[in-house]
Amino acid sequence: MSDDRSAPPDDAEAPGSLARRLERTGPAIGALAALVLARAAWYAVQGVDFVLDDWSLAGYRHFNGAMTDVMLESRPGTWASLTALYAVADTHPLVLFGLVTALYLAATALLFLLARRFLDPLTALAVAAVWVVLPNHNTIALWGAIGNGLTALVLALAGGLALTYGRWLLAVALLAGSVLSYELFTPFCLLAPLVLPGPWQRDPSPRPVRVWQRGVVLASCLAAAAWSATHSIYPLELRVPDPVVYWSGHFGTGLVATAAPPAVARLALAGLAALGVVVALVAWLRGDRDRESGPTLVVAGLAVMAVGAWIGLTLPLGSHGQNDRLFAASSMGSALIVVGIVRYAWRASDASLPSHRVARGAVYAGVTAFVAVCLVGQHISLGSWIQAGDDAVAAVAYVREHAEGDPGASHFVIGPTRIYRNAVSGIQDGDGKWALRLSFGDEGGGTLRIPDTPDGFVARTDDEVLVEWSEVLPTPPPASAYDTGEG
């Protein structure tokens, strides 16, 4: 840890002040907002419904006023963020999605502002824009139940930004709050006070952060991490993360948001990205290490992905679908890598005389193809979430139409297992009772079970009615819908 004593004093207000700098970033943030809102509109017009844990969280909050005391003890930030989100949204999925979109927009703007502390404004804008376009982390942009993770991301980015301005006391609250909201960003919060502010910033910190102040920030994050670890409601199971799945989740299957295309096509996408990384790394090792050079951006992106990969030690990784929430941090590294590869290819095309025009055309074609793949992936991903929500609504509608007497007092089992839409599931066993209570009232005492395996598709009581999904959905689900889609 270093003491940034060379930084200008805090009263150096004019060029380095946060307020003035924010004034000059309006157009860039406006462009990023347009991207975020375009995707949100694309999703919203198709009809937004509750998905999976939304039913349980919305139901528990609606009937009890706040989230569980167990959640409050284990993750205070999760309790606060989810209680607030579902209190405002209540039983309205579209309102919940609007709140998630606002949080995602805040994260995007903060990513740009933080990147701008180290990079040229145009490069920082490109990184944030690519992150929005990449479909490899769409869960945090669409699902209310992961609003605690999105809140944690906003707090982590804001804490890092505060440190780059020397606001260490503000960073204490922000970074510790992130850790207590969602553990995914814990390594980044622990590293932040060790490296920020630092001499590698493009714009130096307007005030110094001394060693003891860095120590206070680090200690607060360590204390929050210790609390989360010792009060977790989830059992700790150490795993060996699969690097192939991790890479594919960022640059292969995760780009198209489905395992439906042939494996060779998805592997080709991941392989092309890996080839670009190797070329950039060779250039970096040979001395191409300028701040704005493509190889340096690739190295920075790999570092972010490496730190973000820690979650694979405790949770199973998936290449797409709802599991891509675990890529909320590492996907920013993939955005840095993409921008770095394109930037290096652009510079290389300048040096490719006399075939300059051909090389430049190849770069344009490559960028166009990449954006096209991302847009296809966005379309598939958004469609999967819409289908999953429709499945849950169809299940409730079936109960309403076929129950004898009070639908809220009925007992149905829909199977043989839950339905997956490209690794996105609309409703599971534990959500059924809350779906009934939200739809038909709190007094019926009915049950709606959706088994995880065919073994559970049996009547446990005389009044349970077995129903197959083919009777519930207007179009019978394909056989692949009963698989997680992670293949």
Side-chain angles (χ1 to χ4, degrees):
M1 295 185 295
S2 62
D3 191 351
D4 299 323
R5 299 181 185 278
S6 61
D10 187 39
D11 58 359
E13 187 66 24
S17 73
L18 179 58
R20 289 179 180 271
R21 191 163 299 283
L22 284 173
E23 289 175 3
R24 298 199 296 272
T25 60
I29 293 179
L32 293 171
L35 276 178
V36 172
L37 294 177
R39 178 178 55 192
W42 188 357
Y43 184 61
V45 296
Q46 298 180 71
V48 178
D49 297 306
F50 283 150
V51 174
L52 213 64
D53 292 1
D54 285 334
W55 291 104
S56 299
L57 294 171
Y60 193 91
R61 208 295 315 166
H62 181 78
F63 293 111
N64 296 281
M67 297 302 166
T68 65
D69 292 340
V70 173
M71 184 183 292
L72 175 60
E73 182 178 350
S74 62
R75 288 177 174 174
T78 290
W79 180 89
S81 57
L82 292 183
T83 295
L85 285 173
Y86 286 94
V88 175
D90 197 24
T91 60
H92 306 289
L94 186 59
V95 175
L96 180 63
F97 176 60
L99 297 173
V100 169
T101 300
L103 279 173
Y104 186 88
L105 179 54
T108 304
L110 286 166
L111 173 61
F112 164 70
L113 293 173
L114 182 58
R116 183 169 172 165
R117 299 291 288 157
F118 302 91
L119 302 170
D120 175 86
L122 185 59
T123 305
L125 176 60
V127 170
V130 169
W131 185 64
V132 173
V133 172
L134 285 169
N136 59 10
H137 60 284
N138 266 13
T139 296
I140 67 168
L142 305 175
W143 195 23
I146 197 62
N148 59 323
L150 192 49
T151 300
L153 175 58
V154 169
L155 292 173
L157 290 170
L161 184 63
L163 278 175
T164 67
Y165 283 94
R167 307 290 181 177
W168 66 274
L169 198 55
L170 177 60
V172 167
L174 293 171
L175 296 177
S178 175
V179 174
L180 292 174
S181 295
Y182 200 56
E183 61 271 20
L184 179 62
F185 310 101
T186 298
F188 296 93
C189 294
L190 294 174
L191 285 172
L194 300 178
V195 299
L196 300 176
W200 40 80
Q201 290 182 198
R202 182 173 178 269
D203 297 320
S205 171
R207 58 162 58 183
V209 178
R210 294 176 171 80
V211 172
W212 72 268
Q213 294 168 334
R214 293 178 187 267
V216 171
V217 180
L218 179 61
S220 69
C221 292
L222 285 171
W227 176 276
S228 294
T230 55
H231 292 76
S232 177
I233 59 176
Y234 303 104
L236 178 61
E237 298 180 11
L238 293 180
R239 305 169 182 269
V240 178
D242 188 331
V244 175
V245 172
Y246 190 66
W247 189 260
S248 180
H250 290 84
F251 294 109
T253 305
L255 286 186
V256 290
T258 176
V264 65
R266 293 177 279 125
L267 286 173
L269 287 172
L272 285 172
L275 177 62
V277 167
V278 169
V279 172
L281 284 177
V282 170
W284 189 82
L285 291 172
R286 295 177 64 179
D288 190 350
R289 301 179 183 178
D290 291 341
R291 178 193 300 274
E292 300 292 333
S293 74
T296 299
L297 294 174
V298 170
V299 170
L302 287 173
V304 172
M305 286 188 64
V307 176
W310 82 276
I311 197 65
L313 297 172
T314 60
L315 292 174
L317 297 175
S319 59
H320 62 292
Q322 286 168 325
N323 274 338
D324 74 13
R325 70 189 185 278
L326 301 180
F327 302 151
S330 56
S331 58
M332 296 180 179
S334 66
L336 275 165
I337 289 173
V338 169
V339 174
I341 291 174
V342 172
R343 189 160 191 133
Y344 181 69
W346 187 263
R347 286 176 50 208
S349 69
D350 280 338
S352 61
L353 296 175
S355 57
H356 166 75
R357 290 186 178 179
V358 175
R360 182 59 57 85
V363 175
Y364 279 125
V367 171
T368 301
F370 172 77
V371 172
V373 169
C374 288
L375 291 180
V376 169
Q378 288 285 352
H379 176 72
I380 293 173
S381 175
L382 299 181
S384 300
W385 283 86
I386 290 296
Q387 280 187 302
D390 289 345
D391 292 342
V393 170
V396 174
Y398 185 92
V399 171
R400 178 183 288 109
E401 295 173 8
H402 294 85
E404 295 182 1
D406 179 11
S410 60
H411 303 275
F412 283 86
V413 185
I414 303 179
T417 68
R418 58 167 143 161
I419 296 288
Y420 291 91
R421 305 293 186 173
N422 294 311
V424 181
S425 183
I427 189 168
Q428 64 182 347
D429 206 20
D431 304 320
K433 72 170 185 177
W434 294 108
L436 293 187
R437 293 176 70 180
L438 284 173
S439 301
F440 307 119
D442 192 31
E443 304 299 327
T447 59
L448 174 59
R449 294 198 294 112
I450 300 91
D452 285 330
T453 65
D455 293 342
F457 190 53
V458 294
R460 296 175 178 173
T461 60
D462 293 339
D463 54 358
E464 279 195 330
V465 180
L466 298 182
V467 181
E468 294 193 0
W469 279 107
S470 57
E471 303 174 58
V472 174
L473 302 176
T475 302
S480 61
Y482 296 104
D483 183 76
T484 61
E486 288 292 349

